[in-house]
Amino acid sequence: MRIIPPLSNVLVIQTAFIGDAILATSVIEKIHQFYPTSNIYFLIRKGNESLFSGHPFLKEVWTIDKKKKYKSYFDVLLKIRQKKFDLLINLHRYFSTNLIALLSGARLKAGYHKLPFNFFFTSSKKHSIGDGRHETERNHTLIAFITDSKPARPKLYPAQTDFQFVDTLKSVKYICLFPASLWQTKQWPIQKWVELCNRVQNFKIYLLGGENDVKVCSEIMKSSINHEIEVLAGKLSLLQSAALMQFAEMNFVNDSGPLHIASAMNAPVTAIFCSTITSFGFTPLSDKALVIQTKEQLACRPCGLHGYAICPKGHFKCGNGIPVEEVFNCL
């Protein structure tokens, strides 16, 4: 018989990129399912907090400013020790946050192997990219000892005002495109996005992304012969974008943060994988989820976990080799 310990205060740590923070919500969902009265705190990278404003299962969202690394880590460690957590779950598998876990004073600690600190964890598991499991499954292994064997789906909670903000945009049938990526070798070539837009009929096309993506989106719109395109990059918050994605006929994304927003909203999604591969474990989880990647067997693919600013081989066959027709047929 499983012994369920009382958990008044729980801390979940994931200070990596925005997609990783979104996938971490699957752990938050499961903890709340088993411990509905627990106060759950979430420690993430500064800049990602807007995604979790108004989250119904989170007591507080704390951030670490990696531009002020040492001071920020020290300040947050003091907050953690003062809170006296019953359970700390570190999903970020690196030295800095494992050191925080070690010094946290938490009664129960769960985290990935990172010697020598995993010796002090109540639950410690190996994290292996490419082991055939989705990242949510790997994360779930850390809390299986106090929940069950089935991972929850990640989930985001846009506010009613977020849905209201995009209401007028939903008055027509539409699709959403997120053409940009932080890593260029994860980004399907701009001309391919233009050709996709040129093929689309009877749908409004919304080009989305952050402020840094406005240039890419504007270039696509100006280069396309399709006049039913609107650039929304930089105009919507992340949660407003999530609200819009939920009701799209299809969302076309790279292997990047918007892919995981789609998963968390159970929104229809077509994910284009260029330099990265699906066996890394970051594929979409929506009920309607499609993955497109080159069929050519490339010895250089994957070229890394995240990719590069330019193709190391100079040909970018993993992106250029994906036919527009194949992506279009997902609509």
Side-chain angles (χ1 to χ4, degrees), residues 12-18 20-21 42-46 48 62-64 66 73 90-92 94 96-97 100:
V12 178
I13 300 176
Q14 179 47 284
T15 60
F17 296 102
I18 195 166
D20 301 291
F42 196 19
L43 176 61
I44 56 177
R45 176 194 292 254
K46 185 176 178 60
N48 293 344
W62 295 345
T63 63
I64 280 181
K66 296 200 172 185
Y73 274 79
N90 185 20
L91 304 177
H92 186 246
Y94 295 100
S96 54
T97 48
I100 284 179

Side-chain angles (χ1 to χ4, degrees), residues 79-138:
K79 291 171 68 174
I80 290 172
R81 289 184 63 84
Q82 289 170 1
K83 193 60 63 175
K84 301 186 186 301
F85 284 100
D86 297 297
L87 170 64
L88 182 151
I89 307 154
N90 185 20
L91 304 177
H92 186 246
R93 55 189 187 277
Y94 295 100
F95 176 88
S96 54
T97 48
N98 272 325
L99 179 60
I100 284 179
L102 174 65
L103 301 174
S104 66
R107 180 163 58 89
L108 302 174
K109 306 177 188 68
Y112 291 113
H113 285 313
K114 195 69 176 180
L115 293 174
F117 300 140
N118 60 283
F119 177 80
F120 299 96
F121 288 170
T122 312
S123 172
S124 180
K125 303 294 180 181
K126 185 177 181 180
H127 186 284
S128 298
I129 295 289
D131 63 2
R133 295 180 298 174
H134 195 274
E135 181 72 353
T136 55
E137 295 177 283
R138 292 190 285 256

Side-chain angles (χ1 to χ4, degrees), residues 32 49 55 75 94 98 104 113 116 131 138 144 189 192 202 206 209 211 213 234 246 251 279 282 294 296 298 331:
H32 177 76
E49 60 268 28
H55 193 295
D75 290 345
Y94 295 100
N98 272 325
S104 66
H113 285 313
D131 63 2
R138 292 190 285 256
K192 296 278 189 177
N202 304 318
Y206 294 129
E211 291 183 1
D213 306 326
Q246 186 173 39
N251 298 282
S279 62
F282 297 93
T294 181
E296 184 179 356
L298 299 171
L331 183 58

